[in-house]
């Protein structure tokens, strides 16, 4: 196995085994994807027995060794030059040049070609990068055996020992081995005699074997036994190839046994028109690659989802999709539906078949609610793919329980089973989905006014009062974050990590995640977990400009139809929108997002709201005005509108040159103390939905240091920054490649920039701790300000990190790699979400003593509020206010309270505000600073942490002690889990918190050996 710290270059003649587990799904096993085309049987071709090969003819390979500040035979005879945007492109141009080019020298967007004789005359030349091709005297093929599907090429190369960890230092930039050219993935298929019979019987008997690719990233050609089956160009589209049809039409030959060769030829020259993950190869929180296509970055490629064979018996069919659309049959509700007393639901179940030859049979659709609701019909299916049949079921209120978002009720799911039995056969083809019963409305008007409801019930024009959601009649305050892909490297994708990430959202008091349009349609496991845990999903289509805009063609249409059919059964998805930040204008090119993209979406799914884009301002026509679900009429956006949904502002780290920032430090406002103004709140008032805003941040020392050399353990990397133009940097400082710096986030809270150049373990820990606390404090004030107003959506940019960097997330990079925690370690901000700023009932206070308590849940609340001051010098607690609370049903119910802060000295005291419910349980605990940490007169505290005993249920007691008041005490460990409380105020009485493992077991040895604690005074 390759070490993480090695350089990326290795000799090209290899035979290395990648030790990757074979994927063998079993019942109940957690898998990334579990939805597959169902036929009479299927055979999975996933596993670690694929072979990747790359041809490197001649004595010079396509791989370059990059050397900065070097030119060859400078100023003498030249071999010509060409435009190049970066060093990687220069390497590629050199490799493709005739006569032979031994090196390209990249300087000022030109690639100067050098002959074999030139490279014997190296010299210094500032600003140049020499791209010297490595020798491959034998000209043999590079072979990487035992590579994994699903997976990606870069991960296979790392597992095979050819490259180091791409995230270590700047390894990801040395991409000449994987970025360009052709990589062939091959596997032997063992066909049985019955398989061959079914393929040959396509025309005569209506049997078939279908080769399914659920996902291939970047362009590829598919061959079986040397016969071209097709070309793939869309990462988000499932491709299927009828082997029977190929035998009939192209002369494909197959044989029984394992001599059948399947070849997937990944070719960087195939134009994909941007139909792949837009953040591939770079975003302002993702690593910027050196490779590119027309208008976009490129990076990983490979067979990233399952490959399998579906057998269709003679006269039978394959089930491609089951698409249930669930409609509430009652009047529009503006109060929470009462269990079993509401109206019924109608369930339209569309089944799509692949039919080799016209087939008669019996279609049965059975819902497992009530007395096993079932409909059986005789059908005659014509030959073809996407053959559609729709059956309607009824779900009576007395027979079902509703699906509710997290915090509002249970997430009840029911099985929906489908079977097709061919006439004259007892062999049924079966499949199923889990569904939930809920009614979603995207509300834009004052639906508490009966007059508005009456008028809107016949209108197709949405309102302009605001934007919020109702689920089952209950108005919802949405709080959550924007989900980006967990990985740039698809071979590292882990189902447990996806599951854990959703659980962390719920544990952090979130109820919404937005699937951002520059990423991916996520694996099945993620949506399943959102269904199970009650996370509402705001879902973009995968369009994000920058070379990834839609084109009205069959590929884009097929992608949209496939993904909506694949995902529409999930009750957690509450709205489809067209794109990320495309701002639809019906008189501009962006009209395509409604005239094409959302038109196709609405044709496939009429059961939930559609929205032009994120953000957007609603509809002029084409939807039901009350709930924003499509009517079937043409979708048109208004030409003028009031702002009801917002993106921004974004507080971007600055002060050090990086791929995404400049050297000038633009200090962000601390926001401490907060200043609130009384606002009128409620769903009957004008309101706003904020679907993006944020503050950039690094991750913990554990996460960041594992991908850096110790000599670069500092937020400035211990050296001068690189020379960066836009997102392209030249130099040797890996911290310039980590997206955003943190100088301007640390400074307003800690008033220190004289240690930013320091390097070492202690220095780096200090810098990263202060960076994360700075972000947490900034976002805390921002969200408290927003909750004091009439906002019903607070969706933060962003949720998770895609690698250890200067990103925006509250959850760290979550792939199980050295230094990382599976699913992602919680940053201080995520603990703040849980402790106060995302609680259903919250409290916050301004520096002048004006406080508010807000109930943002669709239930009445009774409890107690206590506001106190804690003295730093002696830990004395003084009660300033104690009040009984009785708040009406929310969301948007606010009570303002004036507290006397006149005797409070912000440098000497901190405010605490605690809400308990009628059962004396703490529902919100807010520590409210009235000045920045560097102004606090804290005594140097000796904070200690010790690991206690393991409790029934798996948690572990963690004991915290201190001799003085300690602020923002943060505990960190390499063990996989989170803490019940963290980033907390600690008094000399001490506190015991719990470590909550992310699995059924906890590594006690790792927990004990790696646990550490920090606080503000530690770095004073």
């Amino acid at each position: 196995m390759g070490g993480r710290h090695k350089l990326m270059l290795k000799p090209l003649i290899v035979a290395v085994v990648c030790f990757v587990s074979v994927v063998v799904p079993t019942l109940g096993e957690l898998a990334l994807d579990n939805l597959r085309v169902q036929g009479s049987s299927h055979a999975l071709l996933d596993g670690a027995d694929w072979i990747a090969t790359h041809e490197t003819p001649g004595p010079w390979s396509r791989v370059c060794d990059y050397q900065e500040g070097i030119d060859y035979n400078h100023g003498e005879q030249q071999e010509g030059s060409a435009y190049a945007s970066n060093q990687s492109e220069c390497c590629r141009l050199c490799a493709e040049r005739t006569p032979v080019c031994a090196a390209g020298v990249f300087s000022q967007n030109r690639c100067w070609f050098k002959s074999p004789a030139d490279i014997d005359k190296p010299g210094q030349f500032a600003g140049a990068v020499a791209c010297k091709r490595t020798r491959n005297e034998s000209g043999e093929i590079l072979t990487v055996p035992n590579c994994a599907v699903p997976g990606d090429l870069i991960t296979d190369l790392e597992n095979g020992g050819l490259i180091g960890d791409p995230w270590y230092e700047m390894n990801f930039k040395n991409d000449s081995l994987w970025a360009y050219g052709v990589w062939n993935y091959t596997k032997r298929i063992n066909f049985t005699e019955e398989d061959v019979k079914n393929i040959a019987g396509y025309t005569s008997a209506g049997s078939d074997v279908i080769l399914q690719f659920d996902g291939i990233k970047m362009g590829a050609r598919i061959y079986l036994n040397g016969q071209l089956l097709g070309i793939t160009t869309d990462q988000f589209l499932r491709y299927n190839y009828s082997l029977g049809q190929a035998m009939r039409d192209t002369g494909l030959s197959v044989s029984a046994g394992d001599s059948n060769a399947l070849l997937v030829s990944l070719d960087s020259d195939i134009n994909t028109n941007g139909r792949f993950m837009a953040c591939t190869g770079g975003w302002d929180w993702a690593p910027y690659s050196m490779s590119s296509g027309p208008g976009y970055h490129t990076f990983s490629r490979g067979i990233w989802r399952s490959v399998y064979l579906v057998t269709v018996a003679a006269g039978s069919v394959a089930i491609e999709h089951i698409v249930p659309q669930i409609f509430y049959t009652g009047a529009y509700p503006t109060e929470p539906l009462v269990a079993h007393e509401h109206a019924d639901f109608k369930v339209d179940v569309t089944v799509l078949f692949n039919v080799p030859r016209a087939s008669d049979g019996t279609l049965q659709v059975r819902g497992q609610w009530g007395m096993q609701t079932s409909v059986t019909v005789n059908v005659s299916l014509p030959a073809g793919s996407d053959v559609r049949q729709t059956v309607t079921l009824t779900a009576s209120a007395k027979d079902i329980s509703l699906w509710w978002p997290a915090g509002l009720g249970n997430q009840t799911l029911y099985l929906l089973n489908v079977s097709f039995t061919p006439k004259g056969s007892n062999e049924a083809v079966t499949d199923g989905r889990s569904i939930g019963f809920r009614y979603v409305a995207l509300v834009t008007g004052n639906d508490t006014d009966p007059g508005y409801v009456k008028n809107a019930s016949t209108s197709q024009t949405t309102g302009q009062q605001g934007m919020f959601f109702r689920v089952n009649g209950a108005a919802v305050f949405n709080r959550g974050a924007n989900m980006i892909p967990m990985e740039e490297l698809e071979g590292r994708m882990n189902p447990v990590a996806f599951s854990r990430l959703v659980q962390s959202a719920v544990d952090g008091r979130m109820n919404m995640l937005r699937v951002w349009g520059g990423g991916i349609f996520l694996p099945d496991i993620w949506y399943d977990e959102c269904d199970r845990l009650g996370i509402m999903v705001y879902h973009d289509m995968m369009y994000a400009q920058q070379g990834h805009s839609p084109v009205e063609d069959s590929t884009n249409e097929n992608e949209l139809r496939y993904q909506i059919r694949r995902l529409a059964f999930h009750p957690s998805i509450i709205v489809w929108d067209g794109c990320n930040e495309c701002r639809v204008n019906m008189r501009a090119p962006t009209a395509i997002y409604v005239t094409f993209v959302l038109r196709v979406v609405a044709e496939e799914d009429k059961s939930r709201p559609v929205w032009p884009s994120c953000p957007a301002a609603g509809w002029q026509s084409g939807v039901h005005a009350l709930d924003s679900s499509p009517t079937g009429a043409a979708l048109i956006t208004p030409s003028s509108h009031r702002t009801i949904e917002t993106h921004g502002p974004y507080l971007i780290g600055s002060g050090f040159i990086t791929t995404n920032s400049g050297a000038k430090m633009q200090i962000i406002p601390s926001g401490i103390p907060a200043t609130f103004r009384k606002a009128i709140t409620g769903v009957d008032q004008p309101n706003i939905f904020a679907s993006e805003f944020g503050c950039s941040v690094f991750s913990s020392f554990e996460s960041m240091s594992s991908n850096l050399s110790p000599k670069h353990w500092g937020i400035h990397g211990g050296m001068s920054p690189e020379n960066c133009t836009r997102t392209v940097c030249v130099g040797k400082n890996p911290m310039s490649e980590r997206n955003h710096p943190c100088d301007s986030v640390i400074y307003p809270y800690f008033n220190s920039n004289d240690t930013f150049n320091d390097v070492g373990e202690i220095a780096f820990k200090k810098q990263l701790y202060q960076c994360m606390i700075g972000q947490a404090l900034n976002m805390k004030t921002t969200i408290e300000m927003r909750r004091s107003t009439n906002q019903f959506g607070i969706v933060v940019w962003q949720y998770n990190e895609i690698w250890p960097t200067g990103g925006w997330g509250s959850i760290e990079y979550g792939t199980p790699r050295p230094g990382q925690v599976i699913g992602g370690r919680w940053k201080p901000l995520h603990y703040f979400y849980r402790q106060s700023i995302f609680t259903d009932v919250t409290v916050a206070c301004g520096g002048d003593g004006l406080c508010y308590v807000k109930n943002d849940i669709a239930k009445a609340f009774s409890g107690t509020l206590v506001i106190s001051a804690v003295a730093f010098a002696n830990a004395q607690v003084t009660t300033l206010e104690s009040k009984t609370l009785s708040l009406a049903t929310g969301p948007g119910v606010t009570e303002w309270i004036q507290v006397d802060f006149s005797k409070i000295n912000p440098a000497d005291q901190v405010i605490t505000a605690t809400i308990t419910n009628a059962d004396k349980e703490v529902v919100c605990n807010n520590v409210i600073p009235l000045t920045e940490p560097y102004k606090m007169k804290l005594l140097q505290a000796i904070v200690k942490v010790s690991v206690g005993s393991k409790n029934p249920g798996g948690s572990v007691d963690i004991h915290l002690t201190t001799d003085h008041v300690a602020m923002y005490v943060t505990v960190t460990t390499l063990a996989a889990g989170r803490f019940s409380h963290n980033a907390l105020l600690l008094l000399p009485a001490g506190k015991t918190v719990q470590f909550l493992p992310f699995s059924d077991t906890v590594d006690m040895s790792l927990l004990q050996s790696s646990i550490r604690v920090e606080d503000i005074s530690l770095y004073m």
Side-chain angles (χ1 to χ4, degrees):
M1 297 292 288
R4 295 182 306 106
H5 299 184
K6 63 167 68 90
L7 294 176
M8 303 293 281
L9 300 180
K10 280 259 188 134
L12 292 179
I13 304 170
V14 299
V16 182
V17 175
C18 309
F19 291 99
V20 183
S21 299
V22 178
V23 179
V24 185
T26 59
L27 186 63
E29 183 183 40
L30 210 57
L32 282 169
D33 292 301
N34 51 46
L35 296 181
R36 300 190 176 95
V37 175
Q38 296 296 321
S40 305
S41 63
H42 77 270
L44 201 60
L45 301 182
D46 294 355
D49 55 352
W50 290 69
I51 297 173
T53 58
H54 183 54
E55 188 172 357
T56 56
W60 298 92
S61 79
R62 298 180 66 96
V63 179
C64 287
D65 181 9
Y66 297 112
Q67 301 176 41
E68 295 184 10
I70 297 295
D71 190 9
Y72 299 109
N73 199 17
H74 180 70
E76 300 300 325
Q77 182 178 355
Q78 301 292 328
E79 298 294 321
S81 69
Y83 172 82
S85 60
N86 55 57
Q87 64 194 44
S88 179
E89 185 176 6
C90 184
C91 177
R92 177 175 63 87
L93 291 171
C94 178
E96 295 172 350
R97 184 166 175 80
T98 302
V100 67
C101 170
V105 175
F106 177 66
S107 177
Q108 297 182 342
N109 292 113
R110 298 297 297 179
C111 183
W112 302 90
F113 303 121
K114 304 294 180 175
S115 70
D118 289 334
I119 65 173
D120 292 331
K121 302 173 183 179
Q124 302 291 321
F125 189 73
V129 179
C131 314
K132 181 181 178 182
R133 297 172 66 191
T134 58
R135 299 287 294 183
N136 181 34
E137 299 295 349
S138 65
E140 293 185 7
I141 293 176
L142 170 63
T143 301
V144 187
N146 298 341
C147 294
V149 170
D152 74 277
L153 171 61
I154 298 174
T155 300
D156 286 333
L157 293 174
E158 182 190 3
N159 288 338
L162 275 76
I163 62 174
D165 185 341
W167 298 160
Y168 187 77
E169 292 280 291
M170 294 190 292
N171 283 347
F172 60 90
K173 297 185 71 172
N174 199 353
D175 61 3
S176 56
L177 181 58
W178 67 74
Y180 298 108
V182 176
W183 274 91
N184 292 321
Y185 274 71
T186 58
K187 179 184 177 75
R188 293 288 176 180
I189 299 179
N190 189 350
F191 285 126
T192 66
E193 295 284 357
E194 187 67 18
D195 292 330
V196 175
K197 178 182 176 181
N198 283 322
I199 295 170
Y202 177 77
T203 301
S204 60
S207 58
D208 200 2
V209 174
I210 304 167
L211 176 60
Q212 299 280 168
F213 289 89
D214 279 353
I216 299 177
K217 186 177 183 185
M218 311 307 290
R221 295 179 179 85
I222 312 300
Y223 297 87
L224 181 60
N225 293 339
Q227 178 64 53
L228 177 66
L229 299 179
I231 299 175
T232 69
T233 58
D234 189 332
Q235 178 184 358
F236 309 124
L237 179 58
R238 182 171 68 196
Y239 289 86
N240 60 76
Y241 301 101
S242 164
L243 301 187
Q245 185 177 0
M247 177 176 284
R248 183 194 68 185
D249 297 343
T250 68
L252 170 69
S253 176
V254 298
S255 60
D258 63 358
S259 62
N260 303 280
L262 175 61
L263 167 63
V264 178
S265 183
L266 301 166
D267 188 344
S268 62
D269 289 335
I270 295 175
N271 186 4
T272 64
N273 290 312
R275 295 317 307 138
F276 60 93
M277 185 173 80
C279 62
T280 293
W283 214 267
D284 75 325
W285 33 260
Y288 285 96
S289 68
M290 301 302 295
S291 57
S292 61
Y296 46 70
H297 284 273
T298 60
F299 189 53
S300 65
R301 47 180 169 150
I303 309 169
W304 77 291
R305 296 185 67 201
S306 287
V307 184
Y308 51 100
L309 297 168
V310 178
T311 299
V312 181
S316 190
V317 301
I319 297 175
E320 295 183 322
H321 295 282
I322 300 172
V323 189
Q325 297 190 43
I326 300 172
F327 301 92
Y328 182 59
T329 62
Y332 178 79
T334 56
E335 297 292 338
L337 297 179
V338 178
H340 311 305
E341 297 180 12
H342 51 77
D344 298 340
F345 285 84
K346 184 181 74 161
V347 185
D348 290 341
V349 183
T350 298
V351 186
L352 291 108
F353 299 95
N354 186 320
V355 186
R357 192 174 72 171
S359 180
D360 296 336
T362 301
L363 173 63
Q364 183 183 64
V365 179
R366 184 174 70 254
Q368 293 191 349
W369 57 85
M371 298 299 292
Q372 294 282 321
T373 304
S374 178
V375 172
T376 302
V377 294
N378 294 322
V379 295
S380 294
L381 303 177
S385 60
D386 293 344
V387 175
R388 178 185 298 252
Q389 288 287 325
T390 300
V391 172
T392 299
L393 304 179
T394 297
S396 299
K398 63 181 178 61
D399 293 332
I400 62 170
S401 295
L402 297 171
W403 184 94
W404 290 96
L408 286 175
N410 295 327
Q411 292 77 50
T412 307
L413 299 172
Y414 295 91
L415 286 176
L416 180 72
N417 293 317
V418 171
S419 66
F420 175 82
T421 306
K423 186 177 181 180
S425 172
N426 294 322
E427 298 295 326
V429 179
T430 64
D431 201 358
R433 300 289 186 269
S434 293
I435 65 172
F437 294 100
R438 87 287 182 271
Y439 170 58
V440 176
L442 192 164
V443 184
T444 56
N446 179 13
D447 65 355
T448 66
D449 177 4
Y452 169 79
V453 172
K454 180 179 179 181
N455 293 332
S457 64
T458 57
S459 173
Q460 295 192 29
T461 303
T462 55
Q464 294 191 16
Q465 174 159 300
M467 174 181 172
F468 69 92
F469 290 90
R470 287 191 187 273
V471 179
N472 301 329
V476 179
F477 166 63
N478 285 116
R479 66 274 197 178
N482 285 264
M483 171 83 184
I484 63 169
M486 291 195 76
E487 266 296 347
E488 284 275 2
L489 304 171
E490 291 81 4
R492 292 185 176 186
M493 286 168 54
N494 183 296
V496 177
F498 278 99
S499 173
R500 184 62 248 173
L501 194 62
V502 180
Q503 184 67 60
S504 286
V506 175
D507 292 344
R509 315 287 190 192
M510 294 180 176
N511 62 18
M512 173 174 276
L513 292 173
R514 173 180 168 230
V515 177
W516 172 71
I520 60 174
F521 294 97
L522 292 159
D524 294 337
I525 180 65
W526 188 85
Y527 299 98
D528 291 343
E529 292 298 277
C530 288
D531 290 348
R532 185 177 68 86
L533 296 171
I535 288 291
M536 291 168 278
V537 177
Y538 185 150
H539 209 305
D540 293 7
M541 297 301 102
M542 291 303 112
Y543 297 112
Q545 295 76 63
Q546 299 187 29
H548 299 270
S549 299
V551 176
E552 190 168 352
D553 63 9
S554 59
T555 297
N556 280 259
E557 180 174 348
N558 290 339
E559 172 194 315
L560 292 166
R561 293 193 189 280
Y562 164 64
Q563 291 293 347
I564 301 303
R565 293 168 184 176
R566 171 188 166 229
L567 299 174
F569 73 92
H570 289 287
S572 56
I573 299 174
I574 63 170
V575 60
W576 304 116
D577 78 277
C579 56
N580 173 62
E581 296 180 345
C582 57
R583 289 290 187 181
V584 176
N585 182 335
M586 299 305 295
R587 295 183 298 276
T590 54
I592 193 174
Y593 289 101
V594 297
T595 61
F596 170 60
V597 173
L598 284 171
R599 171 181 61 78
V600 172
V601 170
E603 287 172 358
E604 293 293 333
D605 185 5
K606 295 181 174 61
S607 68
R608 51 172 56 83
V610 292
W611 200 236
S613 60
C614 184
W619 298 104
Q620 180 177 314
S621 67
V623 299
H624 298 283
L626 278 175
D627 62 14
S628 306
S629 63
T631 64
L635 293 164
I636 301 174
T637 59
S639 56
S640 61
H641 53 80
R642 171 182 175 269
T643 298
I644 60 176
E645 183 183 17
T646 62
H647 278 194
Y650 307 94
L651 299 178
I652 300 172
S654 59
F656 183 73
I657 297 174
T658 67
T659 53
N660 296 105
S661 186
K664 183 179 180 180
M665 184 157 64
Q666 298 176 330
I667 300 174
I668 67 173
S670 73
I672 299 176
T675 301
F676 301 125
R677 294 181 179 179
K678 290 183 179 181
I680 300 174
T681 58
V683 295
D684 60 338
Q685 300 296 317
N687 55 81
I688 290 288
F689 196 102
S691 46
E692 280 191 24
F693 64 95
C695 177
S696 62
V697 65
F698 282 124
S699 294
S700 68
F701 173 80
E702 283 75 4
S703 177
M704 297 291 297
S705 65
S706 62
N707 290 278
L708 295 166
S709 166
K711 67 182 181 182
H712 293 137
W713 283 358
I715 61 171
H716 287 180
M719 59 190 299
S720 298
E722 294 184 319
N723 180 17
C724 299
T725 303
R726 292 188 177 179
T727 60
V728 178
C729 295
V730 177
K732 297 182 179 180
N733 190 336
M735 293 307 294
S736 283
E737 304 286 346
R738 263 58 181 178
N739 298 109
H740 293 288
C742 207
D743 303 33
S744 60
V745 179
I746 297 173
Y747 187 81
Y749 299 98
F750 297 97
N751 195 35
S752 172
N753 60 359
D754 58 351
T755 61
F756 290 167
N757 291 325
D758 291 354
V759 177
E761 181 175 341
I762 294 175
F764 206 21
K765 285 178 176 177
K766 171 185 176 179
Q767 295 159 356
L768 295 175
Y769 168 79
Q770 292 182 344
C771 176
M772 292 189 294
I773 294 297
Q775 184 228 21
L777 289 172
N778 183 276
M779 291 298 291
K780 179 177 180 292
T781 300
T782 298
I783 293 171
E784 288 172 350
M785 291 291 294
R786 289 176 180 272
R787 291 194 73 172
S788 74
T789 66
N790 208 33
Q791 294 194 14
F792 288 98
I794 295 180
V795 185
V796 175
W797 186 265
Q798 62 197 44
Y799 181 38
N800 55 304
E801 303 289 7
I802 202 169
W803 73 312
T805 191
W808 300 81
S810 63
I811 297 289
E812 294 182 356
Y813 178 51
T815 297
R817 305 286 294 187
Q820 317 306 323
V821 165
I822 191 165
R825 184 183 287 108
W826 288 27
K827 301 183 190 181
L829 175 58
H830 210 74
Y831 287 101
F832 281 14
Y833 288 153
R834 177 174 175 80
Q835 288 157 195
S836 68
I837 54 180
F838 273 176
T839 53
D840 292 334
V841 183
T842 193
V843 57
C845 295
D848 58 359
L850 181 60
C851 306
Y852 70 86
V853 178
K854 194 170 189 182
N855 180 19
D856 272 324
I857 192 74
K859 303 173 184 176
F861 178 82
S862 297
T864 302
L865 167 67
V866 176
I867 298 176
S868 303
V870 178
F872 294 142
N874 58 13
Q876 180 177 341
V877 179
T878 304
T879 300
L880 304 176
E881 182 79 21
S882 181
K883 180 178 178 59
T884 299
L885 299 175
S886 181
L887 301 173
T889 298
V893 173
T894 308
E895 181 176 343
W896 292 91
I897 304 163
Q898 184 66 54
V899 181
D900 184 5
F901 282 3
S902 61
K903 297 181 180 179
I904 300 299
N905 184 339
D908 295 329
Q909 295 164 291
V910 68
I911 302 299
T912 64
T914 303
I915 299 174
T916 53
N917 62 18
D919 295 325
K920 309 300 183 185
E921 298 167 328
V922 175
V923 297
C924 178
N925 183 31
N926 194 354
V927 177
I928 305 169
L930 299 182
T931 191
E932 297 84 357
Y934 76 89
K935 295 179 182 178
M936 295 176 181
K937 296 179 180 179
L938 291 163
L939 299 176
Q940 188 75 48
I942 300 175
V943 182
K944 296 181 180 180
V945 60
S946 61
V947 177
S949 58
K950 188 174 180 181
N951 301 312
S955 67
V956 180
D957 285 341
I958 305 296
H959 305 297
L960 295 167
T961 62
T962 181
D963 59 342
H964 297 295
V965 174
M967 288 290 291
Y968 307 122
V969 173
T970 301
V971 187
T972 309
T973 177
L974 289 171
R978 66 172 179 88
F979 298 92
S980 59
H981 303 79
N982 214 350
L984 51 84
L985 168 64
L986 185 64
L987 304 185
K991 186 177 181 65
T992 296
V993 301
Q994 283 71 48
F995 176 75
L996 306 171
F998 283 169
S999 63
D1000 294 335
T1001 59
V1002 59
D1003 187 334
M1004 291 295 292
S1005 175
L1006 182 62
L1007 176 61
Q1008 291 169 339
S1009 64
S1010 66
I1011 198 165
R1012 64 184 182 92
V1013 65
E1014 298 168 287
D1015 75 296
I1016 295 295
S1017 74
L1018 178 65
Y1019 300 122
M1020 289 173 60

